[in-house]
Amino acid sequence: MPSLNYAAPTSVQEAVALLAGAAGLAKPMAGGTDLLVQLRSGRLKPELIVDTKQIPGMIGIREEAGGFVIGGATSGAMLEAHAALKAAWPGVVEAMDLIGSEQIQGRASLAGNLCNASPAADSVPAMIAAAAVAVIVGPKGERTVPVESIVVSPGRTSLARDEFILAIRLPPRPAHSGDAYLRFIPRTEMDIAVVGCGVNVTLDAAGVCTAARVSVGAVAPTPLLVAEAGAALVGHTLDEATLAKLDAAARAACKPISDKRGTIEYRIKVAGVLARRAAAIAFERAAGRVAKGH
Amino acid sequence: MNYIIPQSELKVVGTRPVRPDGVDKVTGRATFGADMTLAGMIWGKMLRSPHAHARIVAIDTSRALALPGVRAVVTAADFPDIASEEAFVGEGPMNFRDLSRNCLARDKVLYEGHAVAAVAAASQSVAEAALDLIDVTYEVLPHVIDVEAAMAAGAPILHEDMFTVGIEPKPTKPSNIAKRVAFAKGDAEAGFREADVIVEGRYTTQPVHQAYIEPHACLAQVAADGQAHIYSSTQGQFMVRAYCAKVLGWEIADIRSYPMEIGGGFGGKTLVYLEPVALALARKAGRPVKMVMTREEVFRASGPTSGAVIEVKIGARRDGSIVAAREVLKYQAGAFAGSPIGPGCMCGFAMYDLPNVDVVGYDVVSNRPKVAAYRAPGAPITSFAVESAMDDLARKLKIDPLALREMNGARDGSKTHYGVTHRDIGFLATLEAARSHPHYSAPLKPGQGRGVACGFWFNIGGESSGAVHVNEDGSISVVSGNPDIGGSRASMAMMAAEVLGVPIEHVRPIVGDTASIGFSHLTGGSRVTFATGMAVTQAAERVVDQLKQRAAQIWEIPAEAVEWKDGKAYPAGLNAGAFEPLSLAQIALKAGRTGGPISSEVTLNAQGAGPGFGCHICDVEVDSETGHVKILRYTAVQDVGKAIHPSYVEGQIQGGAAQGIGWALNEEYIYDKDGKMENAGFLDYRVPVASDLPLIEAVMVEVPNPRHPFGVRGVGEVPIVPPMAAVANAIRAATGLRMPDLPISPPKLRAALDAASGAKAA
Ligand SMILES: Cc1cc2nc3c(=O)[nH]c(=O)nc-3n(C[C@H](O)[C@H](O)[C@H](O)COP(=O)(O)OP(=O)(O)OC[C@H]3O[C@@H](n4cnc5c(N)ncnc54)[C@H](O)[C@@H]3O)c2cc1C
């Protein structure tokens, strides 16, 4: 019988050494809400699980230089309970909050959602739109990488086998900024995104967009940063013509597959719809008309 | 009408006491199928076919048997190859030969997930590892999934010995069409010639799983002398006993079958999958063997109900009176014959009083799991088509859809196209209650739509046993032979308490194993509160007779001079003598001295089940950009006979409506090109979650069934019949689109909306 080992190191060095030293497959674990499911189904047969939750810095949220540093294993429930984070980044928090149920929320993390590397991961388009970066630790120390560069293909990340994410950093927030994330699922909860879309904007005092990032999920092998969609917003208010351009740019970026969760045509259409709807919420928030998630 | 107690004097029946099984269920003490353990128990696992259709060339189990920890391996070779023999399982036929071959494939595998061999080993992981060591050589055959493709000439044939029954002359070539059935009344052709308006449609429905939360599970033990015990999650312990005996070639008396608490069945647990295999493994291993399906196995190898193609045509005069109706139904049976095509042919038009009807149905096999009963088997499918067409007809005639149904609705004396004449039915009363419900006239906003649809189910009676025992302290035990899947323990206790005149708290209902109570047909067909309730009521009446006799003995007066009221014996009138009343407890205390224990067991074959009717009103809002349908408001009106425990009846109605909404909007089996199911789990097989549904308002119309002592008619199946058409008709109202193909999932609806707006623009 193959055996499975479990370790809960208390320092980054120890964790890195364990990951580097394992003979077979070694997997870092945060909440385990993906990992344990894959283990049970037999899809994943690791030799070693390295639980990261005892490592200092892995759990918790702190404000730093106007931005936020979120420990890699911080649960969705902790994000949801953090008033300042929620006020600054309602889109990121609501994306994370969509994941699973109450029970899952007590465990699931941003780093786990990202490193599971599903094209449909909910928090990832929101993080990409937010220009979040991942703080990665490994044998050679620390490096920071934009979130959009982490997932390379379904189930695969750009991390080396002896690296893991220590924290996610969200940048400082200029005035008149707002973000939003929307996903489409056939039901109202407990489902996987057929399409997801994150939008993050900054407006000037007149309500004209000065910076924008748009990201779509579940419409390509990896979550995408759609530069053209962001560009469609910059210099404009949310008028009909701008919305149409945004819709078209979001659709143009899609390279989906038809599968049991949706057809190519459907996913592309809905990506445009969600981009418009998420942009409308982000603009409202940036203009200060809506305080938080709806 | 001759009810044993006038409605106005009922004290327990019709109230809402705390459910007797409630504490066990909310505290986790209830013992479900997978919860049983026995000393020395080992684990059984099933090897399943990776192919949709293949010949089994060879099975080599030697490597698996050599693995340390493996105690036994069985294949079909360990079972008798039994002859074709029909049995009746409550809601549909079951052929024992097919049942045996469904439990373990013989010669051929007929669907992906078909059981091929089973292992018993010291642990689950050893058993799983052993499965990988069983070498099965397959010769893969072409397969067919779709019902019409299976009927087409040149389709891969599943059973070389299947010749369509019901066509003349008898066919000479094998076919996937197991049988053709036909029903006719009047002259449909002539009827259509009289019609001013005709609606026609072709509808498709997908197979849907019963989606009980508890997977199939059992624990089997066989002693050295062949005496066996089987504990399982089932709708019928007597069914398990008989089917296992048949499949194994054992005697029924050698098997004692225990029904565990059941976590849902909905018809899907009216047959056996694991039980005979677990018994065979237990006998070979000499150890108790537990088997529990995974959710994936539940989807790949058990249930569902049929998917179907239905063509419907209805003709009416300008005034709304229907002159002719026709239906052609093609039902998937799965890998073995036996879809609910019979009820399908009967139920669609059963609600209406029609002069000319012509219905033809086909029972068709294909490479899918064998269908099992699912609430009102066959009826929801046919009613989706007929009730959608009725909505189109109302629209064409510009008549209110409920008015159209009232005009043509079945009433006492209406003769159906399958020959039965309706008596004491409550369809018109149900329609009336729906029409006058505030929901029906509530305002709607733009983008919203309202639909209505109706449903019918026969309900059944059948063989049941019930026992009422007076305990030494005057408390009461009520034993029945039916697993409690819909609150029947409460109903049994309440009916007994009513007859005995004692508070419900003193009555403890128990579901007995096959050695503790007389034979009872399984829990299904909405029969238990009706039929088993009748047995329990009669047993309670006999106990009252005994109690009166004992009081008479104590008082030394004739039994006729004793009256039973409010749980006490009274002298009947002044002539009987002046005695202080004797309570049930006082009489129980003296039972030993007045003739021994006081108890009665009644076994009967209940006749006269009353059919039920429902009418559902559904409001939806359609997101035209995503195709998402939101259910805004839902009201389900139903003729329930007499509600013994109204909360349970409401629960049945709400549950049926919820399942029907899932069937309408999202549930489907998705197959890849090799005939493998792609969504064998609750993530992608989408039953509604709580937040998808509004509170479903259940409205009970009580038109008593005069053939039951309290007026009971079955209530558990009717509520799943109307929802699909109610939802589709609401979508029709909101969007102008008739959606004839289930499920009406977002991609499908968005595509239809785009096609319609494209057509308009062009
Ligand atoms: C019932 C249920 C519902 C769900 N619903 C959703 C949903 O709606 N939307 C959605 O997007 N997801 C959903 N998920 C998936 C899952 O909950 C999320 O992806 C979650 O965010 C994963 O986080 P985790 O901390 O549990 O990750 P884990 O399971 O611990 O890890 C996931 C992966 O990331 C790796 N990993 C973990 N931590 C690190 C780290 N610090 N550095 C590098 N790699 C790491 C692991 O090795 C593993 O490969 C659901 C899961 C369940 C069981």
Side-chain angles (χ1 to χ4, degrees):
Chain A
M1 294 275 109
S3 68
L4 170 64
N5 295 301
Y6 169 87
T10 52
S11 72
V12 168
Q13 292 73 10
E14 203 187 330
V16 168
L18 281 163
L19 289 170
L25 179 66
K27 294 292 281 179
M29 180 174 84
T33 61
D34 277 316
L35 201 61
L36 297 184
V37 174
Q38 290 160 11
L39 200 68
R40 188 161 183 256
S41 75
R43 210 173 90 202
L44 203 68
K45 294 192 167 87
E47 184 235 18
L48 173 67
I49 287 178
V50 178
D51 189 340
T52 59
K53 290 192 290 293
Q54 311 291 325
I55 300 168
M58 282 300 289
I59 294 181
I61 302 165
R62 62 176 201 278
E63 290 180 61
E64 198 180 277
F68 290 88
V69 180
I70 304 167
T74 308
S75 71
M78 290 177 75
L79 264 61
E80 177 67 22
H82 198 287
L85 179 70
K86 222 173 149 177
W89 295 103
V92 172
V93 176
E94 76 196 352
M96 189 64 206
D97 190 48
L98 284 174
I99 293 174
S101 56
E102 202 77 13
Q103 294 92 326
I104 298 296
Q105 279 293 309
R107 291 260 149 192
S109 67
L110 288 174
N113 196 224
L114 176 58
C115 293
N116 186 54
S118 156
D122 279 308
S123 74
V124 179
M127 286 197 280
I128 292 175
V133 295
V135 180
I136 297 171
V137 288
K140 293 197 231 32
E142 210 174 281
R143 62 189 179 108
T144 57
V145 176
V147 165
E148 58 268 30
S149 306
I150 299 285
V151 183
V152 294
S153 64
R156 279 195 51 228
T157 68
S158 57
L159 272 66
R161 57 164 289 167
D162 48 8
E163 290 184 316
F164 65 96
I165 293 177
L166 182 64
I168 301 286
R169 276 206 193 127
L170 291 169
R173 216 68 179 114
H176 307 306
S177 296
D179 72 332
Y181 174 80
L182 289 177
R183 70 170 179 188
F184 181 78
I185 55 171
R187 291 185 287 205
T188 46
E189 61 178 351
M190 302 307 289
D191 221 326
I192 289 188
V194 177
V195 181
C197 182
V199 175
N200 174 29
V201 297
T202 301
L203 312 182
D204 65 16
V208 175
C209 181
T210 56
R213 284 169 68 95
V214 176
S215 171
V216 287
V219 289
T222 64
L224 301 175
L225 174 64
V226 189
E228 299 75 13
L233 295 173
V234 175
H236 299 280
T237 58
L238 262 197
D239 50 47
E240 285 291 320
T242 306
L243 282 170
K245 268 194 213 140
L246 171 67
D247 186 319
R251 280 186 283 124
C254 298
K255 294 185 264 326
I257 51 166
S258 282
D259 70 1
K260 60 191 172 189
R261 299 194 179 119
T263 58
I264 290 174
E265 307 78 58
Y266 182 72
R267 284 192 148 116
I268 292 176
K269 283 177 196 164
V270 173
V273 172
L274 294 191
R276 279 189 277 114
R277 293 181 181 181
I281 299 167
F283 269 67
E284 291 271 301
R285 286 174 177 164
R289 283 192 290 270
V290 182
K292 51 179 171 156
H294 60 137
Chain B
M1 304 197 183
N2 201 13
Y3 303 111
I4 54 170
I5 296 166
Q7 297 276 321
S8 59
E9 286 171 31
L10 293 175
K11 293 201 173 65
V12 184
V13 164
T15 66
R16 301 174 186 247
V18 168
R19 57 190 299 167
D21 51 325
V23 170
D24 277 0
K25 280 178 179 160
V26 300
T27 58
R29 200 181 72 147
T31 311
F32 291 90
D35 293 335
M36 267 302 284
T37 50
L38 287 170
M41 184 185 92
I42 59 174
W43 287 86
K45 295 268 179 204
M46 201 75 94
L47 180 70
R48 298 183 180 278
S49 167
H51 305 296
H53 195 193
R55 200 170 303 287
I56 301 172
V57 178
I59 304 178
D60 181 353
T61 61
S62 54
R63 287 199 303 140
L65 278 165
L67 186 72
V70 171
R71 299 297 187 115
V73 179
V74 296
T75 66
D78 293 275
F79 291 78
D81 188 358
I82 60 180
S84 176
E85 181 187 337
E86 291 296 328
F88 192 77
V89 299
E91 305 220 278
M94 163 55 67
N95 184 297
F96 283 127
R97 181 170 182 265
D98 293 345
L99 178 72
S100 163
R101 287 165 183 245
N102 199 35
C103 287
L104 274 175
R106 193 179 283 273
D107 309 329
K108 283 219 286 188
V109 288
L110 297 164
Y111 54 94
E112 184 222 6
H114 198 163
V116 174
V119 177
S123 73
Q124 296 191 67
S125 50
V126 173
E128 254 154 34
L131 293 183
D132 290 340
L133 300 176
I134 298 176
D135 301 304
V136 186
T137 314
Y138 293 104
E139 176 197 334
V140 178
L141 301 169
H143 69 278
V144 60
I145 296 290
D146 177 70
V147 62
E148 286 184 327
M151 295 171 80
I157 295 292
L158 273 72
H159 305 279
E160 291 300 331
D161 58 350
M162 181 175 282
F163 298 89
T164 310
V165 175
I167 50 176
E168 291 295 335
K170 192 177 178 299
T172 52
K173 278 209 292 205
S175 160
N176 291 324
I177 305 172
K179 79 177 170 189
R180 177 187 185 275
V181 287
F183 297 91
K185 177 186 174 189
D187 181 345
E189 235 9 89
F192 281 116
R193 282 196 294 274
E194 282 175 46
D196 299 315
V197 168
I198 288 178
V199 292
E200 279 182 272
R202 180 189 146 89
Y203 295 85
T204 63
T205 72
Q206 295 299 313
V208 290
H209 199 270
Q210 295 80 350
Y212 28 82
I213 296 302
E214 182 201 20
H216 297 269
C218 70
L219 171 57
Q221 184 185 39
V222 185
D225 62 355
Q227 296 298 303
H229 290 206
I230 178 91
Y231 306 81
S232 59
S233 171
T234 178
Q235 290 177 238
Q237 62 273 46
F238 292 91
M239 175 279 295
V240 168
R241 186 179 69 162
Y243 286 14
C244 288
K246 197 80 193 179
V247 170
L248 290 156
W250 298 359
E251 234 180 56
I252 284 180
D254 288 341
I255 303 174
R256 185 165 177 184
S257 167
Y258 299 80
M260 307 308 291
E261 196 65 59
I262 180 169
F266 310 109
K269 292 177 182 167
T270 55
L271 69 171
V272 293
Y273 296 101
L274 301 175
E275 291 88 342
V277 180
L279 283 166
L281 285 170
R283 181 179 53 180
K284 249 190 170 174
R287 293 276 207 105
V289 173
K290 176 142 107 179
M291 296 186 85
V292 181
M293 280 197 201
T294 62
R295 178 65 56 193
E296 226 187 290
E297 289 181 286
V298 170
F299 274 113
R300 290 192 204 281
S302 75
T305 190
S306 308
V309 176
I310 300 152
E311 283 152 33
V312 60
K313 179 174 171 181
I314 305 176
R317 292 214 180 83
R318 189 94 39 222
D319 68 359
S321 52
I322 296 173
V323 287
R326 167 169 295 152
E327 218 185 350
V328 177
L329 308 95
K330 299 160 188 167
Y331 276 28
Q332 292 167 0
F336 299 96
S339 71
I341 187 65
C345 288
M346 295 183 228
C347 290
F349 295 127
M351 284 176 288
Y352 303 110
D353 192 331
L354 308 175
N356 304 299
V357 183
D358 181 21
V359 180
V360 175
Y362 298 93
D363 182 29
V364 184
V365 298
S366 65
N367 296 110
R368 294 167 169 269
K370 165 76 174 77
V371 301
Y374 183 17
R375 285 180 111 152
I381 301 166
T382 184
S383 291
F384 167 60
V386 169
E387 292 298 289
S388 295
M390 286 294 283
D391 196 63
D392 286 347
L393 183 62
R395 229 169 257 283
K396 250 186 160 167
L397 291 164
K398 300 193 170 60
I399 296 179
D400 173 88
L402 289 183
L404 178 67
R405 288 172 172 90
E406 270 168 19
M407 197 181 300
N408 294 285
R411 51 210 77 208
D412 286 351
S414 294
K415 189 164 185 212
T416 61
H417 61 289
Y418 51 91
V420 169
T421 301
H422 287 304
R423 299 258 177 256
D424 309 300
I425 59 169
F427 187 40
L428 295 182
T430 303
L431 288 171
E432 165 64 34
R435 227 201 319 175
S436 56
H437 191 281
H439 182 174
Y440 196 57
S441 48
L444 288 169
K445 296 200 186 95
Q448 302 180 344
R450 174 166 302 142
V452 295
C454 297
F456 161 86
W457 185 245
F458 316 93
N459 300 319
I460 61 169
E463 295 153 275
S464 275
S465 302
V468 174
H469 307 298
V470 176
N471 302 320
E472 302 90 298
D473 59 357
S475 65
I476 307 292
S477 301
V478 172
V479 187
S480 73
N482 285 102
D484 177 1
I485 62 174
S488 58
R489 269 182 290 223
S491 303
M492 297 308 124
M494 289 170 75
M495 287 186 265
E498 188 73 63
V499 173
L500 296 169
V502 299
I504 182 74
E505 292 75 24
H506 294 306
V507 182
R508 188 42 40 187
I510 291 156
V511 179
D513 64 76
T514 53
S516 308
I517 182 76
F519 179 86
S520 297
H521 194 47
L522 54 76
T523 299
S526 300
R527 61 176 292 278
V528 175
T529 306
F530 172 74
T532 309
M534 198 183 273
V536 166
T537 303
Q538 289 183 12
E541 288 178 301
R542 289 186 195 177
V543 164
V544 168
D545 288 342
Q546 291 176 33
L547 289 164
K548 291 199 306 204
Q549 208 131 35
R550 304 300 173 93
Q553 239 173 294
I554 294 166
W555 290 332
E556 296 176 355
I557 62 173
E560 304 81 63
V562 179
E563 215 175 53
W564 189 260
K565 236 180 77 197
D566 297 335
K568 292 193 180 89
Y570 291 86
L574 292 175
N575 293 342
F579 302 104
E580 280 301 301
L582 277 170
S583 71
L584 194 151
Q586 288 169 314
I587 299 170
L589 203 60
K590 294 191 176 139
R593 274 177 280 150
T594 56
I598 303 170
S599 86
S600 171
E601 177 167 337
V602 169
T603 62
L604 49 71
N605 187 354
Q607 304 297 316
F613 295 83
C615 178
H616 292 195
I617 311 168
C618 172
D619 292 356
V620 301
E621 185 168 81
V622 175
D623 181 337
S624 60
E625 288 191 318
T626 62
H628 185 263
V629 174
K630 183 175 183 193
I631 308 289
L632 297 171
R633 184 172 180 183
Y634 202 99
T635 304
V637 185
Q638 188 173 320
D639 163 25
V640 301
K642 174 70 190 167
I644 301 296
H645 191 307
S647 302
Y648 280 9
V649 175
E650 287 161 359
Q652 288 290 321
I653 295 174
Q654 291 168 325
Q659 287 179 315
I661 290 167
W663 197 335
L665 292 179
N666 281 308
E667 293 180 39
E668 64 182 317
Y669 279 54
I670 303 170
Y671 284 93
D672 71 9
K673 62 174 182 14
D674 297 322
K676 296 181 188 181
M677 188 184 180
E678 290 194 295
N679 59 332
F682 279 136
L683 181 55
D684 289 302
Y685 181 90
R686 293 190 177 82
V687 299
V689 295
S691 55
D692 290 343
L693 301 171
L695 179 72
I696 291 161
E697 187 183 342
V699 179
M700 297 179 289
V701 177
E702 293 193 321
V703 178
N705 172 14
R707 291 169 297 275
H708 183 273
F710 291 104
V712 163
R713 50 180 98 227
V715 300
E717 296 176 283
V718 172
I720 200 173
V721 184
M724 283 93 79
V727 170
N729 293 342
I731 292 171
R732 167 71 183 77
T735 63
L737 295 181
R738 170 56 60 201
M739 297 296 291
D741 302 311
L742 296 183
I744 310 173
S745 58
K748 211 183 273 173
L749 186 50
R750 167 84 206 241
L753 287 161
D754 287 350
S757 65
K760 237 179 267 162

